[in-house]
Amino acid sequence: MTRISLNSKKIETIKEICASFGNKPSEIINILHKVQGALGFLPKEVQEVISEEIRMPVAQIYGIVSFYSFFSMKPKGEHPISVCLGTACYVRDSEKVLDEFKRQLGVGIGELTDDGKFSLDCLRCVGACGLAPVALVGEKVYGRITPAQVKDIIAEYRDK
Amino acid sequence: MEKMINLTIDGIKLQVPKGTTILKAARSIGIDIPTLCHYELKGQGIENRPGSCRVCMVEVEGKGNLAAACATNVSEGMVVKTHTLRVIMARRTVVDLMLSDHPSDCLICPQSGKCELQKLAIDLGLREVTYAGEKSEYRIDVSPAIIRDMNKCVMCRRCETVCNSLQTVGSLSAIDRGFKAVVGTAFEQDLSKSTCVMCGQCVQACPVGALSEVDNTRQVMSAISNPKKTVIVQTAPAVRVAIGEEFGMKPGSRVTGKMVAALRMLGFDYVFDTDFAADLTIMEEGTEMLQRISKFIQGDKSVKLPIMTSCCPGWVNFFETYYPDMLDIPSTAKSPMQMFGAIAKTYWAERLGISREDLVVVSIMPCVAKKYECQRDEFKTNGNPDVDYSLTTRELADMIKLLNISFSDLQEEDFDRPLGESTGAAVIFGATGGVIEAATRTAYELFTKKELGKVDFTELRGLAGVREATVDFDGTPIHIGIAHGLGNARKLLDKVRKGETMFHAIEIMACPGGCVGGAGQPYHHGDFSKVEKRLQAIYEEDAAKTLRKSHENPYIQSLYKDYLGEPCGEKAHKLLHTIYFDKSAKIEETEE
């Protein structure tokens, strides 16, 4: 028997989002998108509640969450950092930029810093190939960055 | 009228309805195209054809690429070649690639000899694995009934389809992506912690050794060879019409006598029959059914209907997980296997003058879920289970092979008495609709106080997923519902929950076809006609019996007289009835 517990406010939020999509299993991608937007990430408790609301097996929901790299089961930092490893960025050395972020923050891909300020991820193309290599902090795009600039970018957010 | 399509396969001209796949068109004229991911339970509305394994590729004239026969519909004037050199080489490459990420421990794999991938590799004459590459690594997950070794998974997704579409359980889903993609549970938790009801249809569907049942044959062998233990065995009705297949006999061969002889040779001290306990089940469940229906007809509002059968452990797990609001509707009668165990460890142990700890009860079941059922705490006394080990039909066949017994040459023998005597009503427990037919035979006579002219209730038989029938109890119409396969059970239950249809009684079996199509039966590899033949054999076995109504079993009559008292009486209730638990997922709200 699965027993899970979750904050009642969060449950309310999830229920509202599911209801706004008519509690339809066919809307699962949209629902997950919105719920992640509202709660930051999709831990298993959250997936269980969605499963209950839209009557879709939680294994299938987990199948979707684990398939798409956009969805995360781990909490994101206050300032989520994503480095593009798409083809254009990659050939312009974005991997070195990513390595510098790892070194400066002391975390690996998909991890969160101890103070909860930053999380690090990589992604594939944000549609700004002309600015390659590209990194995102939150929704702000940084283009043509070099490893040397990484320290300054982090500093911008350190005390925010 | 259906539009017909003309095409040519391997030089043979044929006409098939529009929408037919190349695979089915070829099979309709006896041309066999090998498959792996394709799995169909014909007539049960289940077909898995993701077109992902590419083993069924064929050449279509005028098309550059080879086409997957299972996923390509025929078109007018199509010319198909199923076994050209190009096709065969492509199939070999496909299987070669599958083997590059497959453990090569075939000699000691539980599926060895029955594995569809192994058969393909043999048929295609593979002599080396060309592509050495990375291997997947997954932990082996052992539940009380099922073992999952995903290192052997070929991603055919047959298990996923039966779990979701046939059974609507939804424990299994494709998870992750790319090389890491695999069929798994939510959050990759243990199967036993998921919503799995252990029906085992995934095991029946798995073409390789990724899913198998827990093997209890060694424990049974060691109990048999322990001189301090008295080891008795009971066999479920569906086993006797299926086990012959393991020894090359035709599906539907009735081998009851040979099976009994083999069990004696294996060293069991007494060879008894679960059918005896099935007659006992009818006495209890039939009485309970009659009491509830009589009260209902008299206008007693406290009585809940329909009464539902409770013989099937996959079904019990299913309603405990998904219908916790309806726990008071199923009959409280234990399954025949557990009734047998309860009687064996009390009545029979007392008669032998031995303690229950020195009596080992083994059951041979067409079922995987029975392995879990016999471990349930409510079926134990001071930690000692009523049924010690439950083996599948396949495991019994393995034991017979282990002892080099030439099964098909055995002389027929008869079950021991008293726990081996049974009626035709008990035999039909192995077929969908059988339990309710058996209950009807007894309930009719008890209710009307008249003798039945004809014991065959053909309106309750058949293979439609959900069936409804009305039986005339001498002027009182009794409405009966039947479902097999848990997806069909869900359809029927939702009708009951919404109050759409009124039933007096409902029979549900978790596996398609009932126990004859059980997960513990010889693998049918998606050939459902084998299950249909077993079903026919069950009714032949019933017709061949002299006694065909449970309450006429003389040993059942004396069991009540000498030991139990009245059906549903105090002692019968204590030994033969059970309780159910709410196993649904629970979400607790916290303020934090």
Side-chain angles (χ1 to χ4, degrees):
Chain A
M1 187 183 341
T2 315
R3 282 198 184 279
I4 57 145
S5 52
L6 191 66
N7 174 302
S8 53
K9 272 189 198 137
K10 285 184 181 167
I11 293 180
E12 205 45 50
T13 307
I14 298 167
K15 283 184 176 175
E16 276 169 23
I17 293 170
C18 290
S20 74
F21 289 101
N23 290 326
K24 284 189 202 143
S26 57
E27 294 283 359
I28 182 66
I29 300 270
N30 286 326
I31 291 169
L32 289 171
H33 214 113
K34 283 262 180 184
V35 172
Q36 180 160 296
L39 305 178
F41 66 116
L42 300 164
K44 67 178 183 186
E45 294 79 7
V46 170
Q47 295 180 41
E48 293 274 7
V49 176
I50 297 173
S51 159
E52 183 80 15
E53 286 306 295
I54 67 170
R55 305 254 149 221
M56 183 176 190
V58 70
Q60 288 179 18
I61 296 177
Y62 175 70
I64 292 163
V65 170
S66 62
F67 182 86
Y68 291 104
S69 62
F70 174 80
F71 296 127
S72 173
M73 286 183 62
K74 288 183 188 155
K76 297 269 181 197
E78 235 175 276
H79 307 290
I81 299 171
S82 305
V83 181
C84 181
L85 292 181
T87 314
C89 291
Y90 191 83
V91 298
R92 301 197 63 157
D93 278 342
S94 64
E95 200 174 17
K96 286 185 183 149
V97 175
L98 178 65
D99 288 342
E100 185 60 18
F101 271 113
K102 282 187 199 166
R103 207 174 64 82
Q104 291 281 339
L105 296 170
V107 296
I109 294 164
E111 289 177 1
L112 183 70
T113 55
D114 290 340
D115 59 4
K117 279 250 170 200
F118 300 99
S119 56
L120 185 62
D121 278 295
C122 51
L123 51 76
R124 312 268 159 181
C125 199
V126 291
C129 307
L131 300 176
V134 163
L136 270 79
V137 182
E139 300 204 333
K140 188 171 173 188
V141 179
Y142 290 81
R144 298 213 174 96
I145 49 173
T146 61
Q149 291 171 303
V150 166
K151 201 175 173 185
D152 294 338
I153 296 172
I154 293 172
E156 259 183 69
Y157 294 90
R158 184 71 76 189
D159 302 316
K160 257 193 189 171
Chain B
M1 222 189 100
E2 257 179 324
K3 191 168 183 259
M4 298 302 281
I5 303 281
N6 296 291
L7 75 157
T8 309
I9 303 178
D10 293 348
I12 301 168
K13 287 190 167 41
L14 70 155
Q15 229 187 16
V16 292
K18 193 182 172 196
T20 306
T21 60
I22 297 175
L23 179 67
K24 284 184 185 168
R27 285 186 178 169
S28 75
I29 53 168
I31 293 174
D32 193 31
I33 297 170
T35 55
L36 184 63
C37 67
H38 183 259
Y39 187 73
E40 184 181 16
L41 299 183
K42 215 170 178 184
Q44 300 306 306
I46 292 302
E47 188 173 10
N48 179 62
R49 46 166 198 153
S52 59
C53 77
R54 316 309 284 179
V55 166
C56 67
M57 287 188 299
V58 293
E59 216 171 309
V60 177
E61 220 173 79
K63 292 265 157 82
N65 294 331
L66 298 176
C70 76
T72 310
N73 286 351
V74 295
S75 61
E76 189 58 39
M78 190 182 240
V79 177
V80 179
K81 288 178 184 150
T82 67
H83 289 88
T84 62
L85 185 62
R86 183 179 166 214
V87 162
I88 288 166
M89 293 317 282
R91 279 182 199 150
R92 281 186 69 149
T93 305
V94 160
V95 174
D96 198 355
L97 281 165
M98 271 185 233
L99 295 180
S100 78
D101 177 32
H102 195 84
S104 44
D105 59 353
C106 298
L107 283 176
I108 49 168
C109 175
Q111 198 77 355
S112 187
K114 299 165 185 174
C115 173
E116 294 178 32
L117 182 61
Q118 190 180 42
K119 184 174 184 302
L120 281 170
I122 294 168
D123 290 352
L124 290 165
L126 280 172
R127 290 292 174 268
E128 61 177 338
V129 179
T130 320
Y131 310 98
E134 207 180 325
K135 299 253 179 205
S136 316
E137 265 186 54
Y138 300 97
R139 74 189 166 89
I140 294 173
D141 174 15
V142 182
S143 87
I146 297 166
I147 301 175
R148 289 174 62 239
D149 179 357
M150 287 300 111
N151 297 309
K152 292 178 176 164
C153 177
V154 291
M155 273 307 270
C156 68
R157 303 175 73 173
R158 284 158 55 157
C159 56
E160 189 188 347
T161 295
V162 294
C163 188
N164 288 275
S165 305
L166 176 69
Q167 303 295 58
T168 63
V169 167
S171 270
L172 297 175
S173 173
I175 56 174
D176 227 308
R177 71 173 170 272
F179 187 73
K180 278 163 45 190
V182 70
V183 175
T185 57
F187 321 118
E188 286 137 270
Q189 63 196 345
D190 291 349
L191 200 58
S192 58
K193 294 204 175 76
S194 78
T195 52
C196 175
V197 300
M198 289 176 233
C199 72
Q201 278 299 316
C202 57
V203 175
Q204 180 64 251
C206 183
V208 293
L211 293 161
S212 57
E213 72 267 43
V214 170
D215 183 351
N216 294 112
T217 54
R218 289 198 186 184
Q219 287 139 304
V220 173
M221 295 297 281
S222 108
I224 288 174
S225 54
N226 183 342
K228 290 191 196 120
K229 303 279 184 188
T230 301
V231 187
I232 66 173
V233 66
Q234 52 161 322
T235 61
V239 178
R240 66 204 65 187
V241 296
I243 194 166
E245 291 168 40
E246 290 277 340
F247 303 97
M249 298 165 87
K250 273 192 276 184
S253 298
R254 289 159 52 207
V255 292
T256 316
K258 291 183 194 295
M259 178 185 72
V260 173
L263 288 165
R264 278 214 183 91
M265 288 175 80
L266 287 174
F268 288 103
D269 294 302
Y270 296 90
V271 180
F272 289 140
D273 201 354
T274 314
D275 288 19
F276 170 83
D279 279 332
L280 190 57
T281 303
I282 289 303
M283 296 306 290
E284 291 299 315
E285 201 169 287
T287 304
E288 190 189 352
M289 174 174 151
L290 215 55
Q291 284 173 354
R292 277 214 233 169
I293 292 176
S294 303
K295 281 186 189 166
F296 183 84
I297 291 170
Q298 285 156 17
D300 185 340
K301 293 278 183 284
S302 70
V303 174
K304 285 211 174 170
L305 283 182
I307 181 168
M308 295 196 274
T309 59
S310 53
C311 307
C312 169
W315 153 235
V316 169
N317 291 341
F318 186 75
F319 71 69
E320 287 184 325
T321 308
Y322 294 102
Y323 294 86
D325 54 320
M326 292 164 78
L327 290 185
D328 53 346
I329 296 183
S331 162
T332 56
K334 288 179 185 174
S335 69
M337 176 183 88
Q338 290 302 146
M339 281 200 186
F340 181 96
I343 292 298
K345 291 241 171 152
T346 55
Y347 169 77
W348 183 245
E350 284 164 29
R351 271 186 60 167
L352 289 182
I354 59 172
S355 73
R356 62 178 292 135
E357 285 75 17
D358 285 335
L359 181 68
V360 177
V361 177
V362 176
S363 72
I364 312 296
M365 295 282 140
C367 186
V368 167
K370 289 278 174 196
K371 286 180 185 286
Y372 163 78
E373 185 187 24
C374 73
Q375 294 175 42
R376 289 178 74 129
D377 286 337
E378 60 272 27
F379 299 141
K380 287 177 186 163
T381 302
N382 302 326
N384 179 268
D386 289 345
V387 174
D388 294 78
Y389 306 109
S390 181
L391 304 183
T392 60
T393 308
R394 294 188 294 265
E395 283 174 280
L396 173 59
D398 289 346
M399 279 178 69
I400 294 171
K401 287 170 192 168
L402 196 63
L403 266 73
N404 260 336
I405 296 169
S406 175
F407 187 81
S408 43
D409 298 333
L410 289 174
Q411 291 295 313
E412 299 194 359
E413 292 180 18
D414 206 0
F415 288 107
D416 290 310
R417 301 284 182 274
L419 308 184
E421 180 66 52
S422 67
T423 70
V427 175
I428 57 174
F429 267 57
T432 166
V435 175
I436 209 77
E437 181 174 341
T440 304
R441 290 180 191 175
T442 289
Y444 180 92
E445 295 202 350
L446 298 181
F447 183 81
T448 63
K449 313 231 167 16
K450 286 182 184 169
E451 201 186 324
L452 264 180
K454 186 170 84 53
V455 296
D456 297 304
F457 289 89
T458 45
E459 62 270 43
L460 301 173
R461 300 180 184 180
L463 275 166
V466 179
R467 307 196 292 284
E468 294 176 20
T470 303
V471 177
D472 178 17
F473 271 38
D474 201 24
T476 308
I478 301 294
H479 302 296
I480 291 171
I482 297 163
H484 58 116
L486 291 170
N488 292 322
R490 195 185 278 277
K491 283 181 204 156
L492 198 56
L493 285 179
D494 287 343
K495 275 188 176 184
V496 172
R497 203 186 234 169
K498 285 186 202 143
E500 279 175 9
T501 318
M502 192 277 158
F503 292 107
H504 292 98
I506 286 179
E507 179 207 286
I508 289 173
M509 294 293 155
C511 290
C515 306
V516 285
Q521 294 280 52
Y523 294 112
H524 54 63
H525 300 288
D527 180 358
F528 204 67
S529 72
K530 289 185 180 171
V531 176
E532 289 170 17
K533 289 186 183 115
R534 294 174 197 160
L535 190 92
Q536 286 162 11
I538 285 275
Y539 288 113
E540 287 165 18
E541 189 91 357
D542 165 34
K545 290 264 188 182
T546 323
L547 296 176
R548 299 183 61 194
K549 290 169 272 186
S550 295
H551 56 286
E552 290 177 349
N553 182 334
Y555 292 92
I556 291 285
Q557 290 166 350
S558 57
L559 178 67
Y560 277 105
K561 197 162 143 271
D562 302 343
Y563 193 73
L564 288 171
E566 288 296 305
C568 288
E570 197 189 330
K571 192 160 189 178
H573 212 274
K574 186 166 166 277
L575 286 175
L576 307 177
H577 289 256
T578 187
I579 47 168
Y580 304 112
F581 301 88
D582 178 354
K583 291 184 185 163
S584 62
K586 290 276 177 287
I587 294 166
E588 290 166 0
E589 297 193 17
T590 58
E591 285 314 309
E592 210 283 275

